[in-house]
Structures are given as structure tokens and as C-alpha cells.
């Protein structure tokens, strides 16, 4: 094996990790979420734009509002997970660029002055960060259940604003009983990689 990362860590983050469908009732603490963010914030994004925004759904009232917008097959999972995060793209991320890219502050106006350009960049780069977030949840010894089965317009109206586009809803916690579906097949290296 030519990977430097310890095999146990490889298993934790990738090979043995799965999307969880049930969770125990053990709480996910603010400290755990802070540790996850403090790790994954170092994942790369174009121009260091860092457009991911996270809404943590903790209160019963907010949970009920969110469950109402989830697809039927996702409602019970979201209702019972210890913590639910709404991951969204900030389409006004460029306002932070002078601080995030101090050696090139003019990038804000040079590349991102138009809203459609920002929306495309925010969607791609926040999706990258969402993947980092899921791996970070796994690194914390927790399981993630990312879902895109929900009413996006309803979630945006209920929890965000017009400047933020929801990407996914992620249930987070310790895996419960029968948490995993059977692992689906993956494409082989030969199916994916072409050398030119």
C-alpha cells in the first residue's frame, strides 16, 4: 500500500464508513462540532472562498419545521438523529474574500462581481466543503447521514435567505441499531481513470 495514512484511519474515514440511517440518542456536543469545523476548514477551495455555511438544528421546534420539508423516506431519520446540520452555499461569499485572500483582495471585484458567477463558484466549492465536513464527522468518531431528499425551496425559506442555497441535510450521531444498508458497488480504477 502506498498511502501514508494509517490503515485504521483509512477504514474510519473511507472503507468502513457508511451513511447512517439510525442513530443512538447520545448527544453531539458543540465541542465536537467545533472540532470538526476546526479540522475541515483547512480543505482547499478556489481562491480560499470558503462558501460553506452550516445551520445546526438542535431545538425541537426547529426540528419539526425541518422534518416537514424532508422527503417521506427521510423524515423519521431526521426526526430521531441527535443533531442535524443544513449545509448551504453562501452566494455572497465574496464579501469575505479580502480577509480570506489578503494577498489578492481585488479578486472580490475582479472575478466575483456578478451574482451568477458567484452562485456557480459557491455551489461547487461549498459542495467540496460539504464532503470535507462528512469526512470530519467520521474523524470525530461519529456517523453522517447526508441527504438531498427534501424540499430545497422550503428549507431555504424556513432556515436560510435568498443569499444562501441549501446543498444537503446531514444527520449526525453515533450509529444506532441496523444503521447501515448493504454497501453498494463502486467503480473500479480502470472504469474511472484514463491516462493520456
Amino acid at each position: 500500500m502506498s498511502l501514508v495514512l494509517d490503515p485504521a484511519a483509512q477504514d474510519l474515514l473511507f472503507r468502513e464508513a457508511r451513511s447512517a440511517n439510525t442513530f443512538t440518542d447520545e448527544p453531539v456536543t458543540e465541542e465536537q462540532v467545533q472540532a470538526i469545523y476546526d479540522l475541515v476548514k483547512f480543505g482547499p477551495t478556489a481562491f480560499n472562498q470558503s462558501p460553506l455555511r452550516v445551520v445546526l438544528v438542535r431545538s425541537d421546534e426547529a426540528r419539526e419545521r425541518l422534518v416537514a420539508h424532508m422527503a417521506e423516506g427521510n423524515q423519521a431519520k431526521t426526526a430521531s438523529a441527535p443533531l442535524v446540520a443544513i449545509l448551504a452555499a453562501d452566494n455572497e461569499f465574496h464579501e469575505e474574500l479580502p480577509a480570506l485572500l489578503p494577498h489578492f483582495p481585488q479578486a472580490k471585484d475582479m472575478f466575483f462581481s456578478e451574482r451568477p458567477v458567484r452562485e456557480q463558484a459557491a455551489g461547487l466549492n461549498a459542495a467540496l466543503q460539504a464532503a470535507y465536513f462528512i469526512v470530519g464527522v467520521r474523524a470525530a468518531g461519529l456517523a453522517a447521514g447526508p441527504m438531498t431528499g427534501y424540499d430545497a425551496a422550503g428549507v431555504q425559506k424556513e432556515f436560510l435567505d435568498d443569499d444562501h442555497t441549501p446543498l444537503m441535510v446531514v444527520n449526525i450521531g453515533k450509529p444506532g441499531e441496523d444503521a447501515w444498508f448493504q454497501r453498494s458497488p463502486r467503480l473500479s480504477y480502470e472504469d474511472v481513470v484514463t491516462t493520456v
Side-chain angles (χ1 to χ4, degrees):
M1 181 73 56
S2 60
L3 298 176
V4 175
L5 190 64
D6 178 79
Q10 295 173 37
D11 289 342
L12 176 71
L13 300 178
F14 295 102
R15 285 192 289 262
E16 299 298 326
R18 310 274 274 290
S19 293
N21 295 288
T22 66
F23 298 89
T24 69
D25 58 2
E26 183 178 330
V28 177
T29 67
E30 195 68 31
E31 292 76 20
Q32 286 172 301
V33 179
Q34 178 79 50
I36 291 165
Y37 177 73
D38 285 342
L39 174 66
V40 304
K41 69 183 179 183
F42 294 108
T45 57
F47 292 94
N48 197 32
Q49 61 190 247
S50 307
L52 182 70
R53 302 296 180 262
V54 181
V55 176
L56 298 178
V57 180
R58 289 197 181 273
S59 74
D60 292 340
E61 180 269 334
R63 180 78 58 113
E64 287 180 21
R65 289 170 29 225
L66 178 59
V67 167
H69 295 289
M70 300 304 294
E72 185 177 343
N74 292 331
Q75 288 180 345
K77 294 185 276 190
T78 301
S80 62
L83 179 64
V84 183
I86 300 168
L87 305 188
D90 181 359
N91 297 307
E92 297 298 311
F93 68 86
H94 69 306
E95 297 296 343
E96 303 292 340
L97 280 182
L100 292 172
L101 203 65
H103 63 281
F104 189 26
Q106 62 270 34
K108 173 188 171 189
D109 298 316
M110 186 179 293
F111 295 106
F112 300 110
S113 62
E114 297 180 18
R115 176 69 179 238
V117 173
R118 290 197 305 275
E119 287 178 356
Q120 183 177 11
L124 171 62
N125 287 281
L128 284 173
Q129 288 187 284
Y132 305 145
F133 183 85
I134 292 166
V135 173
V137 167
R138 294 170 175 178
L142 301 169
M147 301 169 294
T148 55
Y150 59 88
D151 172 15
V155 169
Q156 182 176 27
K157 183 177 180 182
E158 195 76 43
F159 294 96
L160 304 167
D161 59 31
D162 290 341
D163 291 331
H164 294 81
T165 304
L167 298 173
M168 66 182 69
V169 173
V170 183
N171 297 326
I172 304 169
K174 293 282 188 182
E177 189 174 339
D178 298 321
W180 323 116
F181 295 145
Q182 184 174 354
R183 185 181 288 286
S184 298
R186 297 298 194 264
L187 296 173
S188 71
Y189 179 86
E190 293 75 19
D191 291 331
V192 174
V193 178
T194 303
T195 303
V196 295

